[in-house]
Amino acid sequence: LSEENRAQLVIQTAFPGDLLLSIPLLKQIRILYPKNPIVLVCRPGLGEFFLTAGLVDELAEMNKRNKAEFKAEMTKLKKRQWARIFCPHQSFRSALMVRSLKVHEFSVGFAHWWNFFAFSKRMKKPLELPDALRQLSLLCRTNASFKKKWESEIVNRGFENTDSQRDFNYAQTPTIPDWASMRAARKDLEVVSGGRPIFIAPGSVWPTKRWTEEGFAELAKTLVKKGHQVVFVGSAGESAICERLATQSGTVSVAGKTTLAGLIDLFRSGQALVANDSGAMHAASVAGLPCVAVFGPTVLKFGFRPWQNQAVVAQVELACRPCATHGGQRCPIKTHACMTAVQANHLEKLLMGLISKS
Ligand code: SF4
């Protein structure tokens, strides 16, 4: 197999939100190494969007929980010779995967004391930057011209994570350069225009990261009264709460009826999204949909801000914040004040401000 025909592998088996935050990295790999097709290793069911958007050329969806399926997929990957391997995913298992594959030019990942054996190039993760940029920073170890661009357009340019715990409007921060953004168009689909609804995603994998059901209901009712079309979105597991909220507010729910790719396409037709700190928030950044996100147990300093400029984060300052890296099942101090203190009328004001400027 000639050097030009060998594919390059990107390993990102994280949750959907983290996978979406890999988009700037994927876009740059395409530009820096255009001759080699890109194969994406991701969780089952998440790859379709990346294919249809032309971000990657092939998928290797791997179910880590099913040993037989995982082994079969690994056997296929081991049979091939890879031009390069990029591994933004940081688990020990991903490092072992990289170690077991044949790679010609280099393999690159984030440096930890326990993964020295896996990569030929390792990068110190720039924790002070948002996660989309952290993932992208891997290319500073592989390409000198990219490193130059990084140093002139990203380093010390105001992209560092804020430690503000008050409402935060990203319109007041530097504009994200297009080459580092999450925006990704679908190649084979014209954007459907029509009602331009406001989407609401009330779910999150973690209960403490969910704003209150009463709050979402009140917000949806107010928006309907003002003549907006409201659509609830979420995963199949969130369809019960979305249906309940849709019934209460006289709106509709499409929760559980869309794939990740379908959700992003749906978002392209909307006015804005109201969400928790969740995968839906990151999907909005891909579609270019303005977003109001409610943060509670997690804080912006962690680096998982909505990676777009038309975004406002609603949050209240509390001594107990943050209480968990990802969120938790229960509020440790049993008040859940980080969410109950956020009022529907306040969110509506932030949302209207965002819409008026978009
Ligand atoms: S401890 Fe504080 S930040 Fe954590 S869930 Fe409870 S109220 Fe929210």
Side-chain angles (χ1 to χ4, degrees):
L1 205 61
S2 79
E3 187 64 48
E4 288 195 4
N5 294 331
R6 274 186 205 120
Q8 44 199 346
L9 195 66
V10 179
I11 301 173
Q12 180 50 291
T13 48
F15 285 116
D18 302 302
L19 177 60
L20 291 173
L21 288 167
S22 302
I23 289 175
L25 172 67
L26 291 165
K27 289 201 296 195
Q28 282 301 306
I29 292 173
R30 182 73 92 201
I31 290 166
L32 297 175
Y33 309 104
K35 290 181 178 160
N36 307 89
I38 301 173
V39 180
L40 175 67
V41 177
C42 64
R43 294 185 182 212
L46 299 184
E48 180 201 350
F49 166 73
F50 293 81
L51 266 185
T52 52
L55 291 163
V56 305
D57 304 289
E58 203 184 315
L59 297 173
E61 294 192 336
M62 298 185 96
N63 185 355
K64 289 185 186 166
R65 291 202 184 133
N66 183 319
K67 269 190 181 171
E69 275 181 35
F70 181 79
K71 208 173 153 196
E73 206 52 56
M74 269 313 288
T75 306
K76 283 191 230 161
L77 297 182
K78 281 182 185 171
K79 278 187 186 149
R80 297 172 69 169
Q81 301 201 1
W82 302 97
R84 306 165 197 93
I85 302 178
F86 303 86
C87 185
H89 194 248
Q90 293 187 95
S91 74
F92 188 65
R93 193 201 288 243
S94 293
L96 281 178
M97 260 175 87
V98 174
R99 182 79 182 97
S100 68
L101 300 172
K102 290 186 210 88
V103 58
H104 281 252
E105 211 174 303
F106 59 76
S107 57
V108 63
F110 290 113
H112 292 286
W113 64 266
W114 45 262
N115 67 7
F116 63 91
F117 64 91
F119 303 105
S120 62
K121 292 176 189 281
R122 295 191 302 157
M123 174 75 194
K124 185 171 178 287
K125 198 171 190 183
L127 292 174
E128 71 283 5
L129 292 173
D131 197 68
L133 289 179
R134 291 173 185 159
Q135 296 195 41
L136 193 51
S137 74
L138 282 179
L139 299 175
C140 291
R141 283 290 284 122
T142 72
N143 187 285
S145 63
F146 179 84
K147 191 166 179 233
K148 254 192 183 167
K149 180 153 76 167
W150 178 268
E151 281 166 357
S152 73
E153 294 185 44
I154 300 295
V155 177
N156 297 328
R157 288 290 184 277
F159 290 111
E160 289 74 19
N161 298 319
T162 175
D163 56 7
S164 167
Q165 286 203 21
R166 302 239 166 147
D167 291 350
F168 199 90
N169 190 336
Y170 279 101
Q172 286 142 23
T173 62
T175 304
I176 299 166
D178 198 46
W179 62 267
S181 79
M182 287 171 74
R183 290 291 292 272
R186 242 191 105 151
K187 275 185 167 174
D188 60 344
L189 190 87
E190 286 297 312
V191 174
V192 183
S193 59
R196 301 209 65 216
I198 292 171
F199 294 103
I200 300 182
S204 161
V205 178
W206 302 101
T208 54
K209 282 168 85 176
R210 293 179 203 143
W211 187 45
T212 63
E213 192 166 332
E214 301 74 37
F216 279 119
E218 191 185 332
L219 177 65
K221 283 181 201 164
T222 309
L223 292 173
V224 169
K225 257 190 211 156
K226 292 193 167 176
H228 294 282
Q229 186 191 347
V230 174
V231 178
F232 283 92
V233 294
S235 64
E238 292 154 2
S239 55
I241 180 176
C242 287
E243 290 293 344
R244 248 187 345 260
L245 284 165
T247 308
Q248 281 176 48
S249 56
T251 59
V252 291
S253 163
V254 294
K257 293 175 189 148
T258 55
T259 58
L260 180 62
L263 184 68
I264 292 169
D265 281 338
L266 201 59
F267 278 179
R268 295 187 200 283
S269 66
Q271 274 195 83
L273 168 75
V274 179
N276 300 310
D277 171 17
S278 64
M281 174 185 87
H282 295 306
S285 300
V286 181
L289 180 70
C291 174
V292 177
V294 188
F295 274 56
T298 52
V299 289
L300 292 169
K301 190 132 183 115
F302 289 169
F304 294 90
R305 61 168 273 193
W307 189 235
Q308 60 157 315
N309 278 84
Q310 288 180 295
V312 181
V313 170
Q315 52 182 347
V316 290
E317 199 168 359
L318 288 172
C320 56
R321 294 186 62 215
C323 68
T325 323
H326 301 292
Q329 293 296 331
R330 272 173 225 93
C331 167
I333 59 169
K334 300 193 173 70
T335 64
H336 209 202
C338 61
M339 289 298 180
T340 54
V342 177
Q343 301 299 314
N345 57 3
H346 181 56
L347 274 199
E348 189 218 336
K349 210 168 134 198
L350 293 177
L351 177 66
M352 291 306 134
L354 197 62
I355 288 174
S356 69
K357 287 187 192 112
S358 60

